[in-house]
Amino acid sequence: MTDDAYLFLLDETATPLGVPPGSVGDLACLETPAVRAWLDAHGVAVTSPRLRLVPPEETAAIPEGAERLPVPLGDEELSRLRHGNAPESVARLEEQLLAYREYTDGRDALLGRALAAGVPLARIVELTGEEPRTVAAAAR
């Protein structure tokens, strides 16, 4: 397995694999001279339906003989690619996990603010489902 994602060109008969690069938002690699030269050499635009992108763990599925180019992606770009490449049911669960992370990242601060604002401990426990000792510890 490689650490790079891959851009590659599907032929007319290939089963769709990966995602169109435009479906994962702005990607810095698409503006690099190497990628621009590769696209120009193959006469392909970034918006071509033949142009696909796969994350590192999916590169083995690229059809043999397909024109391909390794592209490094940042963490956020790679996360968006993996999300876009996931089946819809998995993508929905990933969205829920991201929302969970967003809420839990600031959990202690939120619990502390609620206590400082005078929200009773029992009410916070009722609203959050957290244990009373967890809520009380956030106030420290």
Side-chain angles (χ1 to χ4, degrees), residues 9-88:
L9 296 175
L10 282 177
D11 65 21
E12 307 299 322
T13 62
T15 304
L17 171 68
V19 297
S23 71
V24 294
D26 291 334
L27 298 172
C29 68
L30 295 180
E31 301 304 321
T32 63
V35 170
R36 288 284 176 203
W38 186 80
L39 291 171
D40 288 346
H42 294 289
V44 177
V46 171
T47 57
S48 171
R50 293 183 53 221
L51 185 63
R52 308 299 280 191
L53 181 64
V54 292
E57 61 274 9
E58 299 291 328
T59 58
I62 297 173
E64 189 73 30
E67 293 294 336
R68 63 181 80 198
L69 178 70
V71 291
L73 298 181
D75 290 341
E76 177 61 29
E77 293 172 327
L78 188 54
S79 180
R80 290 192 323 255
L81 171 57
R82 287 179 172 136
H83 181 75
N85 197 50
E88 187 177 332

Side-chain angles (χ1 to χ4, degrees), residues 95-117:
E95 288 169 7
Q96 292 173 2
L97 289 169
L98 285 170
Y100 173 79
R101 181 181 73 186
E102 181 179 316
Y103 289 119
T104 59
D105 277 350
R107 180 194 75 171
D108 288 347
L110 176 61
L111 295 174
R113 286 194 319 269
L115 287 168

